Amino acid sequence: MTLHDGSQVILKKLEQDYDPTSRWQALHMLEEAQQNNWLVTGLIYVDPNAPSMYDLYNMPATPLNRMTETQLRPSAESLERINELMF
């Protein structure tokens, strides 16, 4: 793909048989892309055993945009304790 200034970007789509759970394949692909000045697109690496952000941060089952103001806002007592710790 040629850009407006004449420079070129080469997009490299991952092959059909590429395994995004293989760390070795991911590192090999990134090294090859760097050597060839490719911009690799697609899912490069995923660890299916890694905990999700949902699990890491103990997110509630209800989406935050569906919660009421009362559910989202800390109580006055909680804010007071936080302020005492900070100052």
Side-chain angles (χ1 to χ4, degrees), residues 19-76:
D19 178 12
T21 62
S22 168
R23 187 176 292 194
W24 183 87
Q25 265 191 311
L27 290 172
H28 180 72
M29 172 55 66
L30 292 173
E31 185 177 324
E32 186 180 5
Q34 182 181 20
Q35 290 172 355
N36 294 299
N37 291 323
W38 294 338
L39 181 58
V40 182
T41 62
L43 180 62
I44 297 170
Y45 177 72
V46 64
D47 181 357
N49 299 318
S52 69
M53 285 183 53
Y54 181 85
D55 297 327
L56 285 174
Y57 297 110
N58 197 23
M59 298 293 290
T62 305
L64 297 177
N65 67 350
R66 300 284 187 247
M67 290 185 167
T68 65
E69 185 177 327
T70 307
Q71 291 172 304
L72 291 171
R73 184 174 289 169
S75 67

